[in-house]
């Protein structure tokens, strides 16, 4: 049998109950303006803007969040491109960043910083607190330096195993 109840509890709490014969029944739907807006399925999935949620929370549309989003698992992009985009900042005073890194003493990081001016825009790769590679907004690449002044600047020793091939008439200016 099917049963649904709405009530007010002893401390003025509103409660909704829906009973069905199986765990897939007993759906609760909230409608406004003649359309379903929120659904709670019998198996506990909640849908906002979708009639058949496939996860514990399934939202069709944009989400505005003020505060932190704490994720206890993986973030999986759910489109064919596999892109994960994180935006922030504004055009005049702050930087927008994408920062990916692990934890513990062995973490590595990839930081893409789009600054409000050329000096604050860069891509860097680090291991722990040691930055190993930086590409500046001007296209300069630094390995072992955080502020390259040439197209390629290496802070430390450089080993080149081979330049050119065979007897080709290539030009090599290394200095």
């Amino acid at each position: 049998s099917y049963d649904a109840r709405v009530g007010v509890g002893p401390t003025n709490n509103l409660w909704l109950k829906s009973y069905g014969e199986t765990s897939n029944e007993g759906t609760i739907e909230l409608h406004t303006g003649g359309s379903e807006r929120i659904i709670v399925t019998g198996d506990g999935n909640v849908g906002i803007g979708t009639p058949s949620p496939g996860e514990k929370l399934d939202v069709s549309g944009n989400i505005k969040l003020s505060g932190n989003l704490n994720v206890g698992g993986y973030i999986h992009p759910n489109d064919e491109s596999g892109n994960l985009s994180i935006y922030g900042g504004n055009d005049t005073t702050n930087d927008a960043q994408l920062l990916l890194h692990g934890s513990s003493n062995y973490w590595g990081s990839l930081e893409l910083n789009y600054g409000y001016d050329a000096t604050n825009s860069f891509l860097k790769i680090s291991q722990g607190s040691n930055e190993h590679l930086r590409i500046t907004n001007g296209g300069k690449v630094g390995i072992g330096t955080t502020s390259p002044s040439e197209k390629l600047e290496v802070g430390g020793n450089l080993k080149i195993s081979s330049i050119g091939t065979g007897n080709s008439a290539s030009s090599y200016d290394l200095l």
Side-chain angles (χ1 to χ4, degrees):
S1 73
Y2 300 96
D3 189 12
R5 297 179 186 163
V6 176
V8 177
T11 57
N12 295 326
N13 292 323
L14 174 66
W15 51 267
L16 302 171
K17 289 187 178 180
S18 176
Y19 301 95
E21 293 179 359
T22 68
S23 63
N24 292 332
E25 297 174 342
T27 298
I28 297 173
E29 298 175 359
L30 300 174
H31 291 249
T32 62
S35 296
E36 178 186 285
R37 305 297 180 184
I38 299 173
I39 186 169
V40 180
T41 63
D43 58 359
N45 290 349
V46 177
I48 301 174
T50 180
S52 53
E55 301 292 338
K56 287 298 176 193
L57 177 61
D58 194 342
V59 178
S60 178
N62 295 334
I63 299 172
K64 181 176 182 179
L65 174 71
S66 63
N68 295 325
L69 174 63
N70 297 311
V71 178
Y74 295 102
I75 297 175
H76 297 280
N78 197 24
D79 64 6
E80 291 182 15
S81 69
N83 293 330
L84 174 64
S85 300
I86 300 174
Y87 300 97
N90 61 45
D91 292 338
T92 58
T93 59
N94 295 315
D95 299 337
Q97 292 185 331
L98 169 62
L99 179 62
L100 305 173
H101 65 86
S103 59
S104 82
N105 294 332
Y106 305 106
W107 62 270
S109 68
L110 171 68
E111 180 178 345
L112 174 60
N113 195 68
Y114 181 75
Y116 57 92
D117 62 24
T119 60
N120 291 309
S121 296
F122 56 84
L123 170 69
K124 75 176 183 178
I125 298 175
S126 302
Q127 178 70 34
S129 60
N130 300 314
E131 182 175 321
H132 295 292
L133 181 122
R134 177 178 291 247
I135 302 173
T136 68
N137 187 41
K140 296 177 180 174
V141 177
I143 300 174
T145 179
T146 60
S147 54
S149 59
E150 301 294 332
K151 284 291 184 185
L152 175 62
E153 182 175 340
V154 178
N157 295 333
L158 175 65
K159 179 179 181 180
I160 301 175
S161 297
S162 176
I163 298 178
T165 57
N167 295 326
S168 67
S170 299
S171 173
Y172 308 107
D173 286 331
L174 295 176
L175 299 176

